[in-house]
Amino acid sequence: MKLKLLIPLLAAALTFTACADIPPVKESVPQEQQIIISPPEDGWTAAELMSRSYINNVQLEYPLTMRSLGSGFSIMGLFSRYTVNSSDSSEIRYSLEYNDSENIENMMLSPAYASVSYGSNEDNVTADDAISYLDFFSENISINGVKYSTPEDEIEKHLGKPDDIVEEDNEKFVRYIYLDRESGKELITVRVMKENKEVRNITITF
């Protein structure tokens, strides 16, 4: 087996419980073929949003799992885990990594510039567990056309009118908040840097 094909398979074997469970690498969708729709007038559902979202040109699904991402992605890198603590809870988040089979010079996984969480502080996730939180900060990630560095005045064009706009305490960022049409809970948070009026990161919460 060629080395460049072996690398992503080895990474996937660490992510999934058995080699027989390793899904194929998902076929990428060229950017010119990625469909951007007019935002729904009554707001998004998680399923609608994921069907118009891409990471490294791989189309997302809902519910989102590591299996649905395919073996091109991993959360098993050396520095992939970190714990986020709040006043009443804590949860483990994982840095999502993209297994770039063309980049074999340094034998490393490439960061996808995203983190995921399962809403738990127990490190026992499986390939079929539903991801409950994603945080994106990369131009390689598109949420119906919204990416890192998208101008602020284009957000409503792609995502519609937000349910709320909140200024952060540090006065450096504002957040555009969109609720899930079905559950009424917060679904999308787009964080914008006030200085340059560009998107800094996007958070999806299921």
Side-chain angles (χ1 to χ4, degrees), residues 127-160:
D128 296 304
D129 288 337
I131 292 169
S132 62
Y133 168 96
L134 299 94
D135 189 29
F136 307 130
F137 38 103
S138 169
E139 292 183 350
N140 293 326
I141 300 168
S142 170
I143 308 298
N144 199 46
V146 177
K147 306 177 181 181
Y148 177 92
S149 77
T150 292
E152 182 179 12
D153 58 10
E154 292 187 12
I155 295 174
E156 291 193 27
K157 170 186 172 183
H158 293 285
L159 296 180

PDB file of all heavy atoms in Angstrom, residues 127-160:
ATOM      1  N   ALA A 127     -17.690   6.415  17.053  1.00  0.00           N
ATOM      2  CA  ALA A 127     -17.878   6.972  15.714  1.00  0.00           C
ATOM      3  C   ALA A 127     -19.320   7.342  15.427  1.00  0.00           C
ATOM      4  O   ALA A 127     -19.590   8.166  14.557  1.00  0.00           O
ATOM      5  CB  ALA A 127     -17.390   5.961  14.675  1.00  0.00           C
ATOM      6  N   ASP A 128     -20.258   6.744  16.168  1.00  0.00           N
ATOM      7  CA  ASP A 128     -21.682   6.974  15.894  1.00  0.00           C
ATOM      8  C   ASP A 128     -22.342   7.931  16.870  1.00  0.00           C
ATOM      9  O   ASP A 128     -23.541   8.194  16.761  1.00  0.00           O
ATOM     10  CB  ASP A 128     -22.426   5.632  15.888  1.00  0.00           C
ATOM     11  CG  ASP A 128     -21.959   4.732  14.759  1.00  0.00           C
ATOM     12  OD1 ASP A 128     -22.011   5.166  13.598  1.00  0.00           O
ATOM     13  OD2 ASP A 128     -21.523   3.599  15.042  1.00  0.00           O
ATOM     14  N   ASP A 129     -21.603   8.460  17.836  1.00  0.00           N
ATOM     15  CA  ASP A 129     -22.168   9.448  18.754  1.00  0.00           C
ATOM     16  C   ASP A 129     -22.409  10.763  18.028  1.00  0.00           C
ATOM     17  O   ASP A 129     -21.572  11.211  17.236  1.00  0.00           O
ATOM     18  CB  ASP A 129     -21.231   9.689  19.941  1.00  0.00           C
ATOM     19  CG  ASP A 129     -21.201   8.520  20.904  1.00  0.00           C
ATOM     20  OD1 ASP A 129     -22.180   7.744  20.922  1.00  0.00           O
ATOM     21  OD2 ASP A 129     -20.200   8.367  21.629  1.00  0.00           O
ATOM     22  N   ALA A 130     -23.539  11.379  18.299  1.00  0.00           N
ATOM     23  CA  ALA A 130     -23.886  12.638  17.640  1.00  0.00           C
ATOM     24  C   ALA A 130     -23.082  13.792  18.225  1.00  0.00           C
ATOM     25  O   ALA A 130     -23.007  13.957  19.447  1.00  0.00           O
ATOM     26  CB  ALA A 130     -25.371  12.918  17.781  1.00  0.00           C
ATOM     27  N   ILE A 131     -22.460  14.561  17.366  1.00  0.00           N
ATOM     28  CA  ILE A 131     -21.737  15.760  17.773  1.00  0.00           C
ATOM     29  C   ILE A 131     -22.753  16.834  18.156  1.00  0.00           C
ATOM     30  O   ILE A 131     -23.738  17.060  17.453  1.00  0.00           O
ATOM     31  CB  ILE A 131     -20.834  16.245  16.632  1.00  0.00           C
ATOM     32  CG1 ILE A 131     -19.707  15.225  16.402  1.00  0.00           C
ATOM     33  CG2 ILE A 131     -20.254  17.627  16.914  1.00  0.00           C
ATOM     34  CD1 ILE A 131     -18.903  15.458  15.137  1.00  0.00           C
ATOM     35  N   SER A 132     -22.532  17.498  19.289  1.00  0.00           N
ATOM     36  CA  SER A 132     -23.505  18.484  19.773  1.00  0.00           C
ATOM     37  C   SER A 132     -23.026  19.923  19.621  1.00  0.00           C
ATOM     38  O   SER A 132     -23.814  20.854  19.824  1.00  0.00           O
ATOM     39  CB  SER A 132     -23.827  18.224  21.254  1.00  0.00           C
ATOM     40  OG  SER A 132     -22.656  18.371  22.057  1.00  0.00           O
ATOM     41  N   TYR A 133     -21.757  20.109  19.261  1.00  0.00           N
ATOM     42  CA  TYR A 133     -21.185  21.467  19.201  1.00  0.00           C
ATOM     43  C   TYR A 133     -20.060  21.475  18.188  1.00  0.00           C
ATOM     44  O   TYR A 133     -19.225  20.567  18.154  1.00  0.00           O
ATOM     45  CB  TYR A 133     -20.660  21.841  20.591  1.00  0.00           C
ATOM     46  CG  TYR A 133     -19.787  23.073  20.663  1.00  0.00           C
ATOM     47  CD1 TYR A 133     -20.321  24.305  21.008  1.00  0.00           C
ATOM     48  CD2 TYR A 133     -18.411  22.998  20.421  1.00  0.00           C
ATOM     49  CE1 TYR A 133     -19.509  25.437  21.098  1.00  0.00           C
ATOM     50  CE2 TYR A 133     -17.597  24.116  20.505  1.00  0.00           C
ATOM     51  CZ  TYR A 133     -18.153  25.331  20.845  1.00  0.00           C
ATOM     52  OH  TYR A 133     -17.355  26.438  20.937  1.00  0.00           O
ATOM     53  N   LEU A 134     -20.061  22.482  17.315  1.00  0.00           N
ATOM     54  CA  LEU A 134     -18.964  22.687  16.377  1.00  0.00           C
ATOM     55  C   LEU A 134     -18.570  24.150  16.415  1.00  0.00           C
ATOM     56  O   LEU A 134     -19.426  25.034  16.440  1.00  0.00           O
ATOM     57  CB  LEU A 134     -19.372  22.335  14.945  1.00  0.00           C
ATOM     58  CG  LEU A 134     -19.807  20.920  14.640  1.00  0.00           C
ATOM     59  CD1 LEU A 134     -21.317  20.809  14.734  1.00  0.00           C
ATOM     60  CD2 LEU A 134     -19.386  20.541  13.229  1.00  0.00           C
ATOM     61  N   ASP A 135     -17.289  24.402  16.395  1.00  0.00           N
ATOM     62  CA  ASP A 135     -16.773  25.764  16.343  1.00  0.00           C
ATOM     63  C   ASP A 135     -15.810  25.841  15.169  1.00  0.00           C
ATOM     64  O   ASP A 135     -14.826  25.099  15.125  1.00  0.00           O
ATOM     65  CB  ASP A 135     -16.064  26.123  17.647  1.00  0.00           C
ATOM     66  CG  ASP A 135     -15.696  27.596  17.712  1.00  0.00           C
ATOM     67  OD1 ASP A 135     -16.406  28.417  17.101  1.00  0.00           O
ATOM     68  OD2 ASP A 135     -14.701  27.927  18.388  1.00  0.00           O
ATOM     69  N   PHE A 136     -16.112  26.715  14.199  1.00  0.00           N
ATOM     70  CA  PHE A 136     -15.345  26.797  12.959  1.00  0.00           C
ATOM     71  C   PHE A 136     -14.585  28.107  12.895  1.00  0.00           C
ATOM     72  O   PHE A 136     -15.133  29.157  13.199  1.00  0.00           O
ATOM     73  CB  PHE A 136     -16.259  26.746  11.735  1.00  0.00           C
ATOM     74  CG  PHE A 136     -17.208  25.580  11.716  1.00  0.00           C
ATOM     75  CD1 PHE A 136     -18.560  25.780  11.474  1.00  0.00           C
ATOM     76  CD2 PHE A 136     -16.754  24.301  11.909  1.00  0.00           C
ATOM     77  CE1 PHE A 136     -19.439  24.719  11.435  1.00  0.00           C
ATOM     78  CE2 PHE A 136     -17.618  23.225  11.863  1.00  0.00           C
ATOM     79  CZ  PHE A 136     -18.968  23.428  11.628  1.00  0.00           C
ATOM     80  N   PHE A 137     -13.347  28.070  12.459  1.00  0.00           N
ATOM     81  CA  PHE A 137     -12.587  29.301  12.231  1.00  0.00           C
ATOM     82  C   PHE A 137     -11.613  29.090  11.083  1.00  0.00           C
ATOM     83  O   PHE A 137     -10.413  29.057  11.254  1.00  0.00           O
ATOM     84  CB  PHE A 137     -11.870  29.764  13.505  1.00  0.00           C
ATOM     85  CG  PHE A 137     -11.307  28.660  14.355  1.00  0.00           C
ATOM     86  CD1 PHE A 137      -9.956  28.383  14.343  1.00  0.00           C
ATOM     87  CD2 PHE A 137     -12.130  27.906  15.174  1.00  0.00           C
ATOM     88  CE1 PHE A 137      -9.431  27.367  15.129  1.00  0.00           C
ATOM     89  CE2 PHE A 137     -11.612  26.886  15.967  1.00  0.00           C
ATOM     90  CZ  PHE A 137     -10.263  26.615  15.941  1.00  0.00           C
ATOM     91  N   SER A 138     -12.172  28.943   9.879  1.00  0.00           N
ATOM     92  CA  SER A 138     -11.350  28.679   8.710  1.00  0.00           C
ATOM     93  C   SER A 138     -12.111  29.038   7.444  1.00  0.00           C
ATOM     94  O   SER A 138     -13.328  28.869   7.368  1.00  0.00           O
ATOM     95  CB  SER A 138     -10.957  27.201   8.659  1.00  0.00           C
ATOM     96  OG  SER A 138     -10.374  26.879   7.413  1.00  0.00           O
ATOM     97  N   GLU A 139     -11.383  29.511   6.439  1.00  0.00           N
ATOM     98  CA  GLU A 139     -11.989  29.758   5.139  1.00  0.00           C
ATOM     99  C   GLU A 139     -12.261  28.453   4.395  1.00  0.00           C
ATOM    100  O   GLU A 139     -12.909  28.455   3.353  1.00  0.00           O
ATOM    101  CB  GLU A 139     -11.086  30.672   4.306  1.00  0.00           C
ATOM    102  CG  GLU A 139     -11.001  32.091   4.854  1.00  0.00           C
ATOM    103  CD  GLU A 139     -10.156  33.006   3.987  1.00  0.00           C
ATOM    104  OE1 GLU A 139      -9.491  32.491   3.082  1.00  0.00           O
ATOM    105  OE2 GLU A 139     -10.167  34.228   4.234  1.00  0.00           O
ATOM    106  N   ASN A 140     -11.771  27.333   4.932  1.00  0.00           N
ATOM    107  CA  ASN A 140     -12.053  26.030   4.331  1.00  0.00           C
ATOM    108  C   ASN A 140     -13.383  25.457   4.807  1.00  0.00           C
ATOM    109  O   ASN A 140     -13.724  24.327   4.482  1.00  0.00           O
ATOM    110  CB  ASN A 140     -10.929  25.040   4.659  1.00  0.00           C
ATOM    111  CG  ASN A 140      -9.625  25.415   4.002  1.00  0.00           C
ATOM    112  OD1 ASN A 140      -9.614  25.949   2.894  1.00  0.00           O
ATOM    113  ND2 ASN A 140      -8.523  25.149   4.664  1.00  0.00           N
ATOM    114  N   ILE A 141     -14.105  26.231   5.604  1.00  0.00           N
ATOM    115  CA  ILE A 141     -15.395  25.793   6.128  1.00  0.00           C
ATOM    116  C   ILE A 141     -16.449  26.806   5.716  1.00  0.00           C
ATOM    117  O   ILE A 141     -16.287  28.010   5.896  1.00  0.00           O
ATOM    118  CB  ILE A 141     -15.349  25.664   7.661  1.00  0.00           C
ATOM    119  CG1 ILE A 141     -14.277  24.627   8.042  1.00  0.00           C
ATOM    120  CG2 ILE A 141     -16.699  25.270   8.224  1.00  0.00           C
ATOM    121  CD1 ILE A 141     -13.934  24.616   9.500  1.00  0.00           C
ATOM    122  N   SER A 142     -17.537  26.302   5.147  1.00  0.00           N
ATOM    123  CA  SER A 142     -18.597  27.172   4.630  1.00  0.00           C
ATOM    124  C   SER A 142     -19.935  26.779   5.231  1.00  0.00           C
ATOM    125  O   SER A 142     -20.323  25.609   5.200  1.00  0.00           O
ATOM    126  CB  SER A 142     -18.661  27.053   3.098  1.00  0.00           C
ATOM    127  OG  SER A 142     -19.806  27.705   2.595  1.00  0.00           O
ATOM    128  N   ILE A 143     -20.645  27.762   5.791  1.00  0.00           N
ATOM    129  CA  ILE A 143     -21.993  27.559   6.320  1.00  0.00           C
ATOM    130  C   ILE A 143     -22.940  28.350   5.431  1.00  0.00           C
ATOM    131  O   ILE A 143     -23.133  29.556   5.610  1.00  0.00           O
ATOM    132  CB  ILE A 143     -22.099  28.038   7.791  1.00  0.00           C
ATOM    133  CG1 ILE A 143     -21.002  27.417   8.633  1.00  0.00           C
ATOM    134  CG2 ILE A 143     -23.484  27.723   8.358  1.00  0.00           C
ATOM    135  CD1 ILE A 143     -21.039  25.911   8.715  1.00  0.00           C
ATOM    136  N   ASN A 144     -23.482  27.691   4.422  1.00  0.00           N
ATOM    137  CA  ASN A 144     -24.282  28.343   3.377  1.00  0.00           C
ATOM    138  C   ASN A 144     -23.564  29.580   2.827  1.00  0.00           C
ATOM    139  O   ASN A 144     -24.169  30.613   2.568  1.00  0.00           O
ATOM    140  CB  ASN A 144     -25.675  28.724   3.882  1.00  0.00           C
ATOM    141  CG  ASN A 144     -26.646  28.957   2.728  1.00  0.00           C
ATOM    142  OD1 ASN A 144     -26.723  28.175   1.787  1.00  0.00           O
ATOM    143  ND2 ASN A 144     -27.392  30.052   2.788  1.00  0.00           N
ATOM    144  N   GLY A 145     -22.259  29.450   2.672  1.00  0.00           N
ATOM    145  CA  GLY A 145     -21.473  30.529   2.074  1.00  0.00           C
ATOM    146  C   GLY A 145     -20.777  31.438   3.054  1.00  0.00           C
ATOM    147  O   GLY A 145     -19.930  32.243   2.658  1.00  0.00           O
ATOM    148  N   VAL A 146     -21.101  31.346   4.350  1.00  0.00           N
ATOM    149  CA  VAL A 146     -20.432  32.174   5.362  1.00  0.00           C
ATOM    150  C   VAL A 146     -19.180  31.455   5.846  1.00  0.00           C
ATOM    151  O   VAL A 146     -19.231  30.287   6.242  1.00  0.00           O
ATOM    152  CB  VAL A 146     -21.359  32.478   6.548  1.00  0.00           C
ATOM    153  CG1 VAL A 146     -20.620  33.286   7.619  1.00  0.00           C
ATOM    154  CG2 VAL A 146     -22.587  33.245   6.078  1.00  0.00           C
ATOM    155  N   LYS A 147     -18.051  32.160   5.815  1.00  0.00           N
ATOM    156  CA  LYS A 147     -16.773  31.585   6.198  1.00  0.00           C
ATOM    157  C   LYS A 147     -16.018  32.561   7.102  1.00  0.00           C
ATOM    158  O   LYS A 147     -16.462  33.689   7.332  1.00  0.00           O
ATOM    159  CB  LYS A 147     -15.912  31.320   4.955  1.00  0.00           C
ATOM    160  CG  LYS A 147     -16.570  30.472   3.882  1.00  0.00           C
ATOM    161  CD  LYS A 147     -15.652  30.348   2.680  1.00  0.00           C
ATOM    162  CE  LYS A 147     -16.280  29.524   1.579  1.00  0.00           C
ATOM    163  NZ  LYS A 147     -15.370  29.377   0.404  1.00  0.00           N
ATOM    164  N   TYR A 148     -14.876  32.107   7.577  1.00  0.00           N
ATOM    165  CA  TYR A 148     -13.938  33.000   8.245  1.00  0.00           C
ATOM    166  C   TYR A 148     -13.592  34.130   7.273  1.00  0.00           C
ATOM    167  O   TYR A 148     -13.318  33.882   6.100  1.00  0.00           O
ATOM    168  CB  TYR A 148     -12.682  32.223   8.625  1.00  0.00           C
ATOM    169  CG  TYR A 148     -11.588  33.041   9.270  1.00  0.00           C
ATOM    170  CD1 TYR A 148     -11.510  33.159  10.649  1.00  0.00           C
ATOM    171  CD2 TYR A 148     -10.630  33.678   8.498  1.00  0.00           C
ATOM    172  CE1 TYR A 148     -10.494  33.893  11.238  1.00  0.00           C
ATOM    173  CE2 TYR A 148      -9.615  34.423   9.077  1.00  0.00           C
ATOM    174  CZ  TYR A 148      -9.559  34.529  10.448  1.00  0.00           C
ATOM    175  OH  TYR A 148      -8.560  35.266  11.038  1.00  0.00           O
ATOM    176  N   SER A 149     -13.629  35.348   7.739  1.00  0.00           N
ATOM    177  CA  SER A 149     -13.314  36.579   7.001  1.00  0.00           C
ATOM    178  C   SER A 149     -14.433  37.047   6.074  1.00  0.00           C
ATOM    179  O   SER A 149     -14.259  38.023   5.341  1.00  0.00           O
ATOM    180  CB  SER A 149     -11.998  36.470   6.212  1.00  0.00           C
ATOM    181  OG  SER A 149     -12.146  35.720   5.027  1.00  0.00           O
ATOM    182  N   THR A 150     -15.603  36.398   6.089  1.00  0.00           N
ATOM    183  CA  THR A 150     -16.744  36.925   5.333  1.00  0.00           C
ATOM    184  C   THR A 150     -17.107  38.308   5.870  1.00  0.00           C
ATOM    185  O   THR A 150     -17.182  38.512   7.084  1.00  0.00           O
ATOM    186  CB  THR A 150     -17.960  35.989   5.478  1.00  0.00           C
ATOM    187  OG1 THR A 150     -17.685  34.753   4.807  1.00  0.00           O
ATOM    188  CG2 THR A 150     -19.220  36.604   4.860  1.00  0.00           C
ATOM    189  N   PRO A 151     -17.319  39.313   5.004  1.00  0.00           N
ATOM    190  CA  PRO A 151     -17.695  40.647   5.481  1.00  0.00           C
ATOM    191  C   PRO A 151     -19.011  40.623   6.266  1.00  0.00           C
ATOM    192  O   PRO A 151     -19.929  39.869   5.936  1.00  0.00           O
ATOM    193  CB  PRO A 151     -17.837  41.451   4.185  1.00  0.00           C
ATOM    194  CG  PRO A 151     -16.999  40.725   3.183  1.00  0.00           C
ATOM    195  CD  PRO A 151     -17.120  39.275   3.534  1.00  0.00           C
ATOM    196  N   GLU A 152     -19.073  41.433   7.295  1.00  0.00           N
ATOM    197  CA  GLU A 152     -20.258  41.468   8.157  1.00  0.00           C
ATOM    198  C   GLU A 152     -21.533  41.756   7.375  1.00  0.00           C
ATOM    199  O   GLU A 152     -22.592  41.193   7.655  1.00  0.00           O
ATOM    200  CB  GLU A 152     -20.069  42.517   9.263  1.00  0.00           C
ATOM    201  CG  GLU A 152     -21.223  42.594  10.247  1.00  0.00           C
ATOM    202  CD  GLU A 152     -20.981  43.618  11.341  1.00  0.00           C
ATOM    203  OE1 GLU A 152     -20.032  44.430  11.203  1.00  0.00           O
ATOM    204  OE2 GLU A 152     -21.725  43.609  12.337  1.00  0.00           O
ATOM    205  N   ASP A 153     -21.437  42.626   6.368  1.00  0.00           N
ATOM    206  CA  ASP A 153     -22.654  43.000   5.650  1.00  0.00           C
ATOM    207  C   ASP A 153     -23.175  41.905   4.717  1.00  0.00           C
ATOM    208  O   ASP A 153     -24.206  42.077   4.065  1.00  0.00           O
ATOM    209  CB  ASP A 153     -22.449  44.307   4.868  1.00  0.00           C
ATOM    210  CG  ASP A 153     -21.302  44.229   3.864  1.00  0.00           C
ATOM    211  OD1 ASP A 153     -20.783  43.117   3.628  1.00  0.00           O
ATOM    212  OD2 ASP A 153     -20.925  45.285   3.323  1.00  0.00           O
ATOM    213  N   GLU A 154     -22.477  40.755   4.648  1.00  0.00           N
ATOM    214  CA  GLU A 154     -22.954  39.635   3.846  1.00  0.00           C
ATOM    215  C   GLU A 154     -23.614  38.536   4.681  1.00  0.00           C
ATOM    216  O   GLU A 154     -24.158  37.569   4.132  1.00  0.00           O
ATOM    217  CB  GLU A 154     -21.806  39.027   3.034  1.00  0.00           C
ATOM    218  CG  GLU A 154     -21.274  39.949   1.935  1.00  0.00           C
ATOM    219  CD  GLU A 154     -20.254  39.248   1.050  1.00  0.00           C
ATOM    220  OE1 GLU A 154     -20.142  38.005   1.141  1.00  0.00           O
ATOM    221  OE2 GLU A 154     -19.569  39.958   0.291  1.00  0.00           O
ATOM    222  N   ILE A 155     -23.572  38.661   5.999  1.00  0.00           N
ATOM    223  CA  ILE A 155     -24.097  37.604   6.862  1.00  0.00           C
ATOM    224  C   ILE A 155     -25.589  37.392   6.633  1.00  0.00           C
ATOM    225  O   ILE A 155     -26.056  36.256   6.429  1.00  0.00           O
ATOM    226  CB  ILE A 155     -23.818  37.929   8.345  1.00  0.00           C
ATOM    227  CG1 ILE A 155     -22.319  37.922   8.615  1.00  0.00           C
ATOM    228  CG2 ILE A 155     -24.528  36.916   9.257  1.00  0.00           C
ATOM    229  CD1 ILE A 155     -21.950  38.372  10.016  1.00  0.00           C
ATOM    230  N   GLU A 156     -26.369  38.474   6.656  1.00  0.00           N
ATOM    231  CA  GLU A 156     -27.816  38.331   6.490  1.00  0.00           C
ATOM    232  C   GLU A 156     -28.171  37.833   5.093  1.00  0.00           C
ATOM    233  O   GLU A 156     -29.180  37.141   4.910  1.00  0.00           O
ATOM    234  CB  GLU A 156     -28.517  39.653   6.792  1.00  0.00           C
ATOM    235  CG  GLU A 156     -28.449  40.044   8.260  1.00  0.00           C
ATOM    236  CD  GLU A 156     -29.400  41.182   8.616  1.00  0.00           C
ATOM    237  OE1 GLU A 156     -30.434  41.329   7.930  1.00  0.00           O
ATOM    238  OE2 GLU A 156     -29.096  41.912   9.566  1.00  0.00           O
ATOM    239  N   LYS A 157     -27.365  38.149   4.112  1.00  0.00           N
ATOM    240  CA  LYS A 157     -27.601  37.660   2.757  1.00  0.00           C
ATOM    241  C   LYS A 157     -27.570  36.134   2.721  1.00  0.00           C
ATOM    242  O   LYS A 157     -28.368  35.496   2.019  1.00  0.00           O
ATOM    243  CB  LYS A 157     -26.533  38.226   1.816  1.00  0.00           C
ATOM    244  CG  LYS A 157     -26.524  37.614   0.425  1.00  0.00           C
ATOM    245  CD  LYS A 157     -25.344  38.127  -0.377  1.00  0.00           C
ATOM    246  CE  LYS A 157     -25.192  37.400  -1.700  1.00  0.00           C
ATOM    247  NZ  LYS A 157     -23.992  37.860  -2.456  1.00  0.00           N
ATOM    248  N   HIS A 158     -26.670  35.530   3.500  1.00  0.00           N
ATOM    249  CA  HIS A 158     -26.495  34.080   3.473  1.00  0.00           C
ATOM    250  C   HIS A 158     -27.300  33.353   4.546  1.00  0.00           C
ATOM    251  O   HIS A 158     -27.744  32.226   4.331  1.00  0.00           O
ATOM    252  CB  HIS A 158     -25.021  33.719   3.637  1.00  0.00           C
ATOM    253  CG  HIS A 158     -24.165  34.137   2.483  1.00  0.00           C
ATOM    254  ND1 HIS A 158     -24.164  33.468   1.280  1.00  0.00           N
ATOM    255  CD2 HIS A 158     -23.282  35.156   2.337  1.00  0.00           C
ATOM    256  CE1 HIS A 158     -23.326  34.047   0.447  1.00  0.00           C
ATOM    257  NE2 HIS A 158     -22.769  35.076   1.067  1.00  0.00           N
ATOM    258  N   LEU A 159     -27.493  33.978   5.697  1.00  0.00           N
ATOM    259  CA  LEU A 159     -28.132  33.287   6.817  1.00  0.00           C
ATOM    260  C   LEU A 159     -29.485  33.867   7.198  1.00  0.00           C
ATOM    261  O   LEU A 159     -30.231  33.248   7.959  1.00  0.00           O
ATOM    262  CB  LEU A 159     -27.212  33.294   8.051  1.00  0.00           C
ATOM    263  CG  LEU A 159     -25.888  32.542   7.900  1.00  0.00           C
ATOM    264  CD1 LEU A 159     -25.079  32.643   9.192  1.00  0.00           C
ATOM    265  CD2 LEU A 159     -26.122  31.083   7.535  1.00  0.00           C
ATOM    266  N   GLY A 160     -29.816  35.048   6.671  1.00  0.00           N
ATOM    267  CA  GLY A 160     -31.088  35.679   7.010  1.00  0.00           C
ATOM    268  C   GLY A 160     -30.955  36.627   8.187  1.00  0.00           C
ATOM    269  O   GLY A 160     -29.867  36.823   8.747  1.00  0.00           O
TER     270      GLY A 160
END
